[in-house]
Amino acid sequence: MKNKSTSAFCTLILICCFLLSSVNKVVAQENGIYELTEDNQLSKQIANKKGNSNDRKEFYDLSQKLHSTFYYENNKLKNKYGDGSPLRLNLEDINSFSAINKNDTQFNDIQIITVSLKNENDLNKILDVSNMPGFSSLKYIFIRCHFNCDALKIRKFIKKSDRNIRVFYTTDRPS
Protein backbone atom coordinates (compact mmCIF):
# COMPACT_ATOMS: atom_id res chain seq x y z
CA MET A 1 0.00 0.00 0.00
CA LYS A 2 2.84 2.37 0.88
CA ASN A 3 4.59 1.71 -2.46
CA LYS A 4 1.43 2.54 -4.43
CA SER A 5 0.98 5.89 -2.69
CA THR A 6 4.67 6.74 -3.19
CA SER A 7 4.56 5.95 -6.90
CA ALA A 8 1.28 7.91 -7.28
CA PHE A 9 2.84 10.88 -5.49
CA CYS A 10 5.96 10.75 -7.71
CA THR A 11 3.76 10.54 -10.81
CA LEU A 12 1.75 13.54 -9.63
CA ILE A 13 4.95 15.56 -9.00
CA LEU A 14 6.28 14.61 -12.45
CA ILE A 15 3.04 15.71 -14.16
CA CYS A 16 3.06 19.02 -12.25
CA CYS A 17 6.67 19.69 -13.29
CA PHE A 18 5.83 18.92 -16.89
CA LEU A 19 2.82 21.26 -16.85
CA LEU A 20 4.80 24.08 -15.25
CA SER A 21 7.61 23.76 -17.78
CA SER A 22 5.19 23.85 -20.72
CA VAL A 23 3.50 27.06 -19.51
CA ASN A 24 6.52 29.12 -20.62
CA LYS A 25 6.03 27.97 -24.19
CA VAL A 26 2.37 28.95 -24.13
CA VAL A 27 3.10 32.44 -22.77
CA ALA A 28 5.81 33.11 -25.37
CA GLN A 29 5.11 35.18 -28.50
CA GLU A 30 3.15 33.40 -31.17
CA ASN A 31 4.93 31.62 -34.04
CA GLY A 32 8.28 33.16 -33.10
CA ILE A 33 7.05 36.52 -34.39
CA TYR A 34 7.77 39.41 -32.03
CA GLU A 35 6.34 42.90 -32.01
CA LEU A 36 8.57 45.90 -31.56
CA THR A 37 6.97 47.87 -28.73
CA GLU A 38 7.80 50.95 -26.75
CA ASP A 39 9.98 50.42 -23.69
CA ASN A 40 7.84 52.21 -21.14
CA GLN A 41 4.56 50.80 -19.85
CA LEU A 42 2.75 54.16 -20.02
CA SER A 43 2.97 54.32 -23.80
CA LYS A 44 1.63 50.75 -24.00
CA GLN A 45 -1.38 51.69 -21.90
CA ILE A 46 -2.05 54.79 -24.01
CA ALA A 47 -1.78 52.77 -27.22
CA ASN A 48 -4.20 50.16 -25.88
CA LYS A 49 -6.74 52.84 -24.96
CA LYS A 50 -6.55 54.25 -28.48
CA GLY A 51 -7.61 50.90 -29.89
CA ASN A 52 -4.18 49.59 -30.89
CA SER A 53 -4.63 46.33 -29.03
CA ASN A 54 -2.43 43.30 -29.11
CA ASP A 55 -4.85 41.64 -31.50
CA ARG A 56 -2.75 40.19 -34.31
CA LYS A 57 -5.49 38.62 -36.39
CA GLU A 58 -5.28 41.20 -39.19
CA PHE A 59 -1.47 41.08 -39.18
CA TYR A 60 -1.45 37.28 -39.48
CA ASP A 61 -4.06 37.43 -42.22
CA LEU A 62 -1.95 39.86 -44.24
CA SER A 63 1.41 38.21 -43.59
CA GLN A 64 0.52 34.53 -43.81
CA LYS A 65 -2.33 34.27 -46.33
CA LEU A 66 -2.34 34.90 -50.06
CA HIS A 67 -3.08 38.44 -51.15
CA SER A 68 -2.13 40.45 -54.20
CA THR A 69 1.56 41.23 -53.74
CA PHE A 70 4.45 43.10 -55.36
CA TYR A 71 7.85 41.39 -55.09
CA TYR A 72 10.89 43.66 -55.44
CA GLU A 73 14.47 42.48 -55.77
CA ASN A 74 17.57 44.50 -56.72
CA ASN A 75 15.48 47.67 -56.94
CA LYS A 76 13.21 46.21 -59.65
CA LEU A 77 9.75 44.70 -59.70
CA LYS A 78 10.52 40.99 -59.83
CA ASN A 79 6.98 39.63 -59.79
CA LYS A 80 3.37 40.54 -59.15
CA TYR A 81 0.97 38.04 -57.65
CA GLY A 82 -2.79 38.41 -57.79
CA ASP A 83 -5.23 40.73 -59.45
CA GLY A 84 -6.22 44.21 -58.42
CA SER A 85 -4.40 46.64 -56.23
CA PRO A 86 -1.75 44.89 -54.09
CA LEU A 87 -2.09 44.77 -50.31
CA ARG A 88 1.43 43.45 -49.68
CA LEU A 89 4.90 44.53 -50.70
CA ASN A 90 7.81 42.11 -50.31
CA LEU A 91 11.33 43.50 -50.45
CA GLU A 92 13.67 40.58 -51.05
CA ASP A 93 16.80 42.63 -50.29
CA ILE A 94 17.86 46.02 -48.94
CA ASN A 95 18.73 47.26 -52.44
CA SER A 96 15.01 47.68 -53.06
CA PHE A 97 14.53 50.44 -50.47
CA SER A 98 14.98 53.16 -53.08
CA ALA A 99 12.15 51.68 -55.18
CA ILE A 100 9.63 52.35 -52.42
CA ASN A 101 10.77 55.93 -51.82
CA LYS A 102 9.22 57.08 -55.08
CA ASN A 103 5.92 58.93 -54.87
CA ASP A 104 3.94 56.25 -56.65
CA THR A 105 0.17 55.79 -56.45
CA GLN A 106 0.50 52.02 -56.94
CA PHE A 107 1.55 51.78 -53.26
CA ASN A 108 -1.52 53.58 -51.83
CA ASP A 109 -3.34 50.35 -50.89
CA ILE A 110 -0.29 48.54 -49.45
CA GLN A 111 -1.04 47.50 -45.86
CA ILE A 112 2.07 45.47 -45.05
CA ILE A 113 5.71 45.63 -46.12
CA THR A 114 7.83 42.52 -45.61
CA VAL A 115 11.60 43.07 -45.62
CA SER A 116 14.06 40.16 -45.85
CA LEU A 117 17.47 40.76 -44.29
CA LYS A 118 20.15 38.32 -45.45
CA ASN A 119 22.94 39.14 -42.96
CA GLU A 120 23.78 41.49 -40.09
CA ASN A 121 25.39 43.99 -42.48
CA ASP A 122 21.91 44.67 -43.89
CA LEU A 123 21.04 46.28 -40.55
CA ASN A 124 23.52 49.08 -41.31
CA LYS A 125 21.13 50.54 -43.87
CA ILE A 126 18.17 52.31 -42.26
CA LEU A 127 14.58 51.80 -43.37
CA ASP A 128 13.08 55.28 -43.08
CA VAL A 129 9.33 54.81 -42.79
CA SER A 130 8.79 58.47 -41.96
CA ASN A 131 9.97 59.48 -45.42
CA MET A 132 7.95 57.09 -47.61
CA PRO A 133 5.42 58.90 -49.81
CA GLY A 134 2.37 57.12 -51.18
CA PHE A 135 1.79 54.58 -48.41
CA SER A 136 -1.44 55.97 -47.01
CA SER A 137 -2.83 52.54 -45.96
CA LEU A 138 0.37 51.11 -44.44
CA LYS A 139 -0.29 49.42 -41.07
CA TYR A 140 2.49 46.86 -40.61
CA ILE A 141 6.16 46.27 -41.32
CA PHE A 142 7.39 42.69 -41.02
CA ILE A 143 11.15 42.11 -40.83
CA ARG A 144 12.45 38.61 -41.62
CA CYS A 145 16.03 38.15 -40.47
CA HIS A 146 18.03 35.22 -41.88
CA PHE A 147 20.24 35.49 -38.78
CA ASN A 148 19.71 36.10 -35.06
CA CYS A 149 18.16 39.51 -34.50
CA ASP A 150 16.57 41.17 -31.52
CA ALA A 151 14.44 44.19 -30.69
CA LEU A 152 17.42 46.48 -30.12
CA LYS A 153 18.88 45.77 -33.57
CA ILE A 154 15.50 46.18 -35.28
CA ARG A 155 14.81 49.42 -33.40
CA LYS A 156 18.08 50.86 -34.79
CA PHE A 157 17.21 49.61 -38.29
CA ILE A 158 13.77 51.26 -38.50
CA LYS A 159 13.26 55.01 -38.42
CA LYS A 160 9.58 55.38 -37.64
CA SER A 161 7.42 58.46 -37.72
CA ASP A 162 4.44 59.21 -35.54
CA ARG A 163 2.23 57.21 -37.90
CA ASN A 164 0.53 54.27 -36.28
CA ILE A 165 2.62 51.53 -37.93
CA ARG A 166 3.26 48.33 -36.01
CA VAL A 167 6.61 46.60 -36.54
CA PHE A 168 7.02 42.82 -36.26
CA TYR A 169 10.16 40.73 -36.70
CA THR A 170 11.21 37.11 -36.76
CA THR A 171 14.30 35.01 -37.30
CA ASP A 172 13.97 32.69 -40.30
CA ARG A 173 16.98 30.58 -41.12
CA PRO A 174 16.66 29.21 -44.62
CA SER A 175 17.82 25.62 -44.99
Side-chain angles (χ1 to χ4, degrees), residues 1 16 18 22 24-26 33-34 36 40 45 48 52 60 65 67 83 96 102 106 123 134 138-139 149 163 166:
M1 183 73 169
C16 289
F18 176 74
S22 65
N24 283 345
K25 293 178 183 177
V26 173
I33 297 174
Y34 304 97
L36 193 64
N40 52 13
Q45 292 170 357
N48 285 337
N52 184 10
Y60 284 128
K65 294 184 179 177
H67 295 282
D83 296 326
S96 300
K102 297 183 271 185
Q106 68 180 350
L123 290 171
L138 185 63
K139 297 177 185 177
C149 61
R163 290 173 51 187
R166 294 171 69 184

mmCIF file of all heavy atoms in Angstrom, residues 1 16 18 22 24-26 33-34 36 40 45 48 52 60 65 67 83 96 102 106 123 134 138-139 149 163 166:
data_model
loop_
_atom_site.group_PDB
_atom_site.id
_atom_site.type_symbol
_atom_site.label_atom_id
_atom_site.label_comp_id
_atom_site.label_asym_id
_atom_site.label_seq_id
_atom_site.Cartn_x
_atom_site.Cartn_y
_atom_site.Cartn_z
ATOM 1 N N MET A 1 0.821 -1.184 0.000
ATOM 2 C CA MET A 1 0.000 0.000 0.000
ATOM 3 C C MET A 1 0.869 1.252 0.000
ATOM 4 O O MET A 1 0.563 2.221 -0.664
ATOM 5 C CB MET A 1 -0.905 -0.061 1.238
ATOM 6 C CG MET A 1 -1.854 1.079 1.330
ATOM 7 S SD MET A 1 -3.136 0.865 0.117
ATOM 8 C CE MET A 1 -4.235 2.101 0.632
ATOM 9 N N CYS A 16 3.048 17.583 -12.597
ATOM 10 C CA CYS A 16 3.057 19.017 -12.247
ATOM 11 C C CYS A 16 4.284 19.719 -12.816
ATOM 12 O O CYS A 16 4.184 20.840 -13.343
ATOM 13 C CB CYS A 16 3.000 19.197 -10.732
ATOM 14 S SG CYS A 16 1.395 18.779 -10.036
ATOM 15 N N PHE A 18 6.013 18.851 -15.449
ATOM 16 C CA PHE A 18 5.830 18.917 -16.891
ATOM 17 C C PHE A 18 4.895 20.054 -17.275
ATOM 18 O O PHE A 18 5.160 20.817 -18.203
ATOM 19 C CB PHE A 18 5.304 17.579 -17.422
ATOM 20 C CG PHE A 18 4.995 17.596 -18.881
ATOM 21 C CD1 PHE A 18 6.022 17.590 -19.811
ATOM 22 C CD2 PHE A 18 3.686 17.648 -19.336
ATOM 23 C CE1 PHE A 18 5.743 17.622 -21.171
ATOM 24 C CE2 PHE A 18 3.395 17.682 -20.676
ATOM 25 C CZ PHE A 18 4.431 17.660 -21.597
ATOM 26 N N SER A 22 5.812 23.565 -19.422
ATOM 27 C CA SER A 22 5.188 23.851 -20.715
ATOM 28 C C SER A 22 4.442 25.178 -20.728
ATOM 29 O O SER A 22 4.108 25.688 -21.785
ATOM 30 C CB SER A 22 4.250 22.715 -21.117
ATOM 31 O OG SER A 22 3.174 22.635 -20.198
ATOM 32 N N ASN A 24 5.643 28.110 -20.008
ATOM 33 C CA ASN A 24 6.521 29.115 -20.616
ATOM 34 C C ASN A 24 6.360 29.154 -22.125
ATOM 35 O O ASN A 24 6.393 30.204 -22.731
ATOM 36 C CB ASN A 24 7.980 28.853 -20.277
ATOM 37 C CG ASN A 24 8.310 29.287 -18.879
ATOM 38 O OD1 ASN A 24 7.555 30.028 -18.267
ATOM 39 N ND2 ASN A 24 9.433 28.805 -18.367
ATOM 40 N N LYS A 25 6.184 28.013 -22.743
ATOM 41 C CA LYS A 25 6.027 27.971 -24.188
ATOM 42 C C LYS A 25 4.697 28.566 -24.616
ATOM 43 O O LYS A 25 4.589 29.156 -25.668
ATOM 44 C CB LYS A 25 6.170 26.535 -24.694
ATOM 45 C CG LYS A 25 7.564 25.995 -24.507
ATOM 46 C CD LYS A 25 7.679 24.582 -24.966
ATOM 47 C CE LYS A 25 9.076 24.063 -24.689
ATOM 48 N NZ LYS A 25 9.233 22.682 -25.037
ATOM 49 N N VAL A 26 3.683 28.420 -23.804
ATOM 50 C CA VAL A 26 2.368 28.953 -24.127
ATOM 51 C C VAL A 26 2.361 30.476 -24.000
ATOM 52 O O VAL A 26 1.754 31.181 -24.784
ATOM 53 C CB VAL A 26 1.293 28.322 -23.211
ATOM 54 C CG1 VAL A 26 -0.044 28.983 -23.399
ATOM 55 C CG2 VAL A 26 1.196 26.833 -23.468
ATOM 56 N N ILE A 33 7.156 35.176 -33.837
ATOM 57 C CA ILE A 33 7.050 36.521 -34.393
ATOM 58 C C ILE A 33 6.876 37.489 -33.228
ATOM 59 O O ILE A 33 5.962 37.334 -32.424
ATOM 60 C CB ILE A 33 5.868 36.628 -35.380
ATOM 61 C CG1 ILE A 33 6.106 35.687 -36.558
ATOM 62 C CG2 ILE A 33 5.692 38.053 -35.853
ATOM 63 C CD1 ILE A 33 4.940 35.606 -37.525
ATOM 64 N N TYR A 34 7.759 38.465 -33.142
ATOM 65 C CA TYR A 34 7.770 39.412 -32.034
ATOM 66 C C TYR A 34 7.383 40.796 -32.524
ATOM 67 O O TYR A 34 7.706 41.179 -33.642
ATOM 68 C CB TYR A 34 9.155 39.458 -31.400
ATOM 69 C CG TYR A 34 9.621 38.095 -30.945
ATOM 70 C CD1 TYR A 34 10.449 37.321 -31.742
ATOM 71 C CD2 TYR A 34 9.199 37.571 -29.737
ATOM 72 C CE1 TYR A 34 10.847 36.068 -31.341
ATOM 73 C CE2 TYR A 34 9.601 36.313 -29.321
ATOM 74 C CZ TYR A 34 10.422 35.567 -30.129
ATOM 75 O OH TYR A 34 10.809 34.324 -29.725
ATOM 76 N N LEU A 36 7.724 44.847 -32.090
ATOM 77 C CA LEU A 36 8.569 45.898 -31.560
ATOM 78 C C LEU A 36 7.668 46.889 -30.840
ATOM 79 O O LEU A 36 6.801 47.501 -31.451
ATOM 80 C CB LEU A 36 9.317 46.587 -32.706
ATOM 81 C CG LEU A 36 10.465 47.490 -32.339
ATOM 82 C CD1 LEU A 36 11.575 46.700 -31.684
ATOM 83 C CD2 LEU A 36 10.981 48.179 -33.576
ATOM 84 N N ASN A 40 8.523 51.863 -22.384
ATOM 85 C CA ASN A 40 7.837 52.210 -21.136
ATOM 86 C C ASN A 40 6.393 51.737 -21.151
ATOM 87 O O ASN A 40 5.727 51.716 -22.159
ATOM 88 C CB ASN A 40 7.920 53.712 -20.865
ATOM 89 C CG ASN A 40 7.459 54.530 -22.050
ATOM 90 O OD1 ASN A 40 6.859 54.002 -22.971
ATOM 91 N ND2 ASN A 40 7.733 55.804 -22.020
ATOM 92 N N GLN A 45 -0.021 51.484 -22.390
ATOM 93 C CA GLN A 45 -1.378 51.686 -21.901
ATOM 94 C C GLN A 45 -2.108 52.710 -22.760
ATOM 95 O O GLN A 45 -3.275 52.539 -23.068
ATOM 96 C CB GLN A 45 -1.346 52.144 -20.450
ATOM 97 C CG GLN A 45 -0.856 51.075 -19.506
ATOM 98 C CD GLN A 45 -0.590 51.607 -18.115
ATOM 99 O OE1 GLN A 45 -0.711 52.794 -17.858
ATOM 100 N NE2 GLN A 45 -0.205 50.720 -17.223
ATOM 101 N N ASN A 48 -3.073 51.081 -26.032
ATOM 102 C CA ASN A 48 -4.195 50.161 -25.885
ATOM 103 C C ASN A 48 -5.516 50.909 -25.753
ATOM 104 O O ASN A 48 -6.540 50.456 -26.231
ATOM 105 C CB ASN A 48 -3.984 49.240 -24.682
ATOM 106 C CG ASN A 48 -2.961 48.162 -24.963
ATOM 107 O OD1 ASN A 48 -2.718 47.831 -26.115
ATOM 108 N ND2 ASN A 48 -2.351 47.643 -23.926
ATOM 109 N N ASN A 52 -5.273 50.373 -30.324
ATOM 110 C CA ASN A 52 -4.181 49.593 -30.891
ATOM 111 C C ASN A 52 -3.904 48.435 -29.944
ATOM 112 O O ASN A 52 -2.962 48.447 -29.194
ATOM 113 C CB ASN A 52 -2.945 50.484 -31.060
ATOM 114 C CG ASN A 52 -1.813 49.758 -31.738
ATOM 115 O OD1 ASN A 52 -1.988 48.662 -32.241
ATOM 116 N ND2 ASN A 52 -0.653 50.367 -31.743
ATOM 117 N N TYR A 60 -1.673 38.646 -39.020
ATOM 118 C CA TYR A 60 -1.450 37.281 -39.480
ATOM 119 C C TYR A 60 -2.171 37.019 -40.800
ATOM 120 O O TYR A 60 -1.658 36.312 -41.659
ATOM 121 C CB TYR A 60 -1.884 36.256 -38.428
ATOM 122 C CG TYR A 60 -0.906 36.143 -37.290
ATOM 123 C CD1 TYR A 60 -1.319 36.242 -35.975
ATOM 124 C CD2 TYR A 60 0.442 35.935 -37.531
ATOM 125 C CE1 TYR A 60 -0.420 36.143 -34.940
ATOM 126 C CE2 TYR A 60 1.347 35.832 -36.505
ATOM 127 C CZ TYR A 60 0.908 35.940 -35.203
ATOM 128 O OH TYR A 60 1.808 35.845 -34.195
ATOM 129 N N LYS A 65 -1.418 34.746 -45.286
ATOM 130 C CA LYS A 65 -2.331 34.271 -46.333
ATOM 131 C C LYS A 65 -2.024 34.931 -47.667
ATOM 132 O O LYS A 65 -1.320 35.934 -47.730
ATOM 133 C CB LYS A 65 -3.780 34.554 -45.920
ATOM 134 C CG LYS A 65 -4.200 33.745 -44.709
ATOM 135 C CD LYS A 65 -5.635 33.957 -44.378
ATOM 136 C CE LYS A 65 -6.023 33.113 -43.173
ATOM 137 N NZ LYS A 65 -7.411 33.349 -42.791
ATOM 138 N N HIS A 67 -2.465 37.184 -50.741
ATOM 139 C CA HIS A 67 -3.081 38.444 -51.151
ATOM 140 C C HIS A 67 -2.307 38.940 -52.362
ATOM 141 O O HIS A 67 -1.189 38.496 -52.633
ATOM 142 C CB HIS A 67 -2.987 39.493 -50.033
ATOM 143 C CG HIS A 67 -3.766 39.137 -48.807
ATOM 144 N ND1 HIS A 67 -5.120 39.275 -48.718
ATOM 145 C CD2 HIS A 67 -3.366 38.642 -47.612
ATOM 146 C CE1 HIS A 67 -5.531 38.886 -47.534
ATOM 147 N NE2 HIS A 67 -4.477 38.498 -46.837
ATOM 148 N N ASP A 83 -4.570 39.710 -58.646
ATOM 149 C CA ASP A 83 -5.232 40.735 -59.447
ATOM 150 C C ASP A 83 -5.614 41.905 -58.551
ATOM 151 O O ASP A 83 -5.770 41.771 -57.350
ATOM 152 C CB ASP A 83 -6.500 40.167 -60.095
ATOM 153 C CG ASP A 83 -6.192 39.051 -61.073
ATOM 154 O OD1 ASP A 83 -5.138 39.134 -61.732
ATOM 155 O OD2 ASP A 83 -7.002 38.102 -61.166
ATOM 156 N N SER A 96 16.313 47.266 -52.549
ATOM 157 C CA SER A 96 15.010 47.683 -53.061
ATOM 158 C C SER A 96 14.394 48.836 -52.273
ATOM 159 O O SER A 96 13.294 49.275 -52.597
ATOM 160 C CB SER A 96 14.054 46.494 -53.056
ATOM 161 O OG SER A 96 14.574 45.465 -53.867
ATOM 162 N N LYS A 102 9.815 56.275 -54.021
ATOM 163 C CA LYS A 102 9.223 57.080 -55.084
ATOM 164 C C LYS A 102 7.786 57.403 -54.716
ATOM 165 O O LYS A 102 7.103 56.600 -54.078
ATOM 166 C CB LYS A 102 9.242 56.318 -56.418
ATOM 167 C CG LYS A 102 10.626 56.008 -56.927
ATOM 168 C CD LYS A 102 10.548 55.336 -58.263
ATOM 169 C CE LYS A 102 10.440 53.840 -58.074
ATOM 170 N NZ LYS A 102 10.485 53.086 -59.314
ATOM 171 N N GLN A 106 0.735 53.459 -56.990
ATOM 172 C CA GLN A 106 0.499 52.018 -56.938
ATOM 173 C C GLN A 106 0.692 51.453 -55.529
ATOM 174 O O GLN A 106 0.284 50.345 -55.240
ATOM 175 C CB GLN A 106 1.402 51.281 -57.924
ATOM 176 C CG GLN A 106 2.874 51.323 -57.575
ATOM 177 C CD GLN A 106 3.714 50.583 -58.597
ATOM 178 O OE1 GLN A 106 3.187 49.888 -59.452
ATOM 179 N NE2 GLN A 106 5.013 50.736 -58.510
ATOM 180 N N LEU A 123 21.569 45.394 -41.595
ATOM 181 C CA LEU A 123 21.042 46.276 -40.546
ATOM 182 C C LEU A 123 21.707 47.645 -40.547
ATOM 183 O O LEU A 123 21.204 48.576 -39.920
ATOM 184 C CB LEU A 123 21.216 45.628 -39.166
ATOM 185 C CG LEU A 123 20.327 44.421 -38.886
ATOM 186 C CD1 LEU A 123 20.755 43.748 -37.600
ATOM 187 C CD2 LEU A 123 18.871 44.819 -38.823
ATOM 188 N N GLY A 134 3.257 58.023 -50.452
ATOM 189 C CA GLY A 134 2.366 57.124 -51.180
ATOM 190 C C GLY A 134 1.901 55.898 -50.434
ATOM 191 O O GLY A 134 1.236 55.056 -50.999
ATOM 192 N N LEU A 138 -0.613 51.976 -45.089
ATOM 193 C CA LEU A 138 0.371 51.112 -44.436
ATOM 194 C C LEU A 138 0.079 50.973 -42.944
ATOM 195 O O LEU A 138 -0.065 51.961 -42.236
ATOM 196 C CB LEU A 138 1.783 51.657 -44.641
ATOM 197 C CG LEU A 138 2.919 50.796 -44.116
ATOM 198 C CD1 LEU A 138 2.958 49.455 -44.834
ATOM 199 C CD2 LEU A 138 4.243 51.518 -44.286
ATOM 200 N N LYS A 139 -0.013 49.708 -42.477
ATOM 201 C CA LYS A 139 -0.293 49.420 -41.074
ATOM 202 C C LYS A 139 0.834 48.642 -40.399
ATOM 203 O O LYS A 139 1.040 48.762 -39.209
ATOM 204 C CB LYS A 139 -1.571 48.591 -40.952
ATOM 205 C CG LYS A 139 -2.809 49.270 -41.446
ATOM 206 C CD LYS A 139 -3.988 48.323 -41.335
ATOM 207 C CE LYS A 139 -5.232 48.928 -41.934
ATOM 208 N NZ LYS A 139 -6.362 47.989 -41.897
ATOM 209 N N CYS A 149 18.379 38.079 -34.707
ATOM 210 C CA CYS A 149 18.165 39.508 -34.504
ATOM 211 C C CYS A 149 17.302 39.698 -33.264
ATOM 212 O O CYS A 149 16.616 38.785 -32.827
ATOM 213 C CB CYS A 149 17.531 40.151 -35.734
ATOM 214 S SG CYS A 149 15.914 39.498 -36.180
ATOM 215 N N ARG A 163 3.327 57.993 -37.342
ATOM 216 C CA ARG A 163 2.232 57.205 -37.903
ATOM 217 C C ARG A 163 2.054 55.932 -37.094
ATOM 218 O O ARG A 163 2.991 55.397 -36.524
ATOM 219 C CB ARG A 163 2.528 56.855 -39.360
ATOM 220 C CG ARG A 163 2.457 58.066 -40.264
ATOM 221 C CD ARG A 163 2.897 57.771 -41.661
ATOM 222 N NE ARG A 163 2.246 56.611 -42.252
ATOM 223 C CZ ARG A 163 2.605 56.115 -43.420
ATOM 224 N NH1 ARG A 163 3.581 56.663 -44.113
ATOM 225 N NH2 ARG A 163 1.990 55.067 -43.920
ATOM 226 N N ARG A 166 2.740 49.340 -36.920
ATOM 227 C CA ARG A 166 3.265 48.333 -36.012
ATOM 228 C C ARG A 166 4.375 47.568 -36.722
ATOM 229 O O ARG A 166 4.247 47.219 -37.888
ATOM 230 C CB ARG A 166 2.145 47.390 -35.580
ATOM 231 C CG ARG A 166 1.097 48.115 -34.740
ATOM 232 C CD ARG A 166 -0.112 47.277 -34.482
ATOM 233 N NE ARG A 166 0.170 46.160 -33.594
ATOM 234 C CZ ARG A 166 -0.740 45.234 -33.277
ATOM 235 N NH1 ARG A 166 -1.953 45.291 -33.778
ATOM 236 N NH2 ARG A 166 -0.421 44.252 -32.471
#
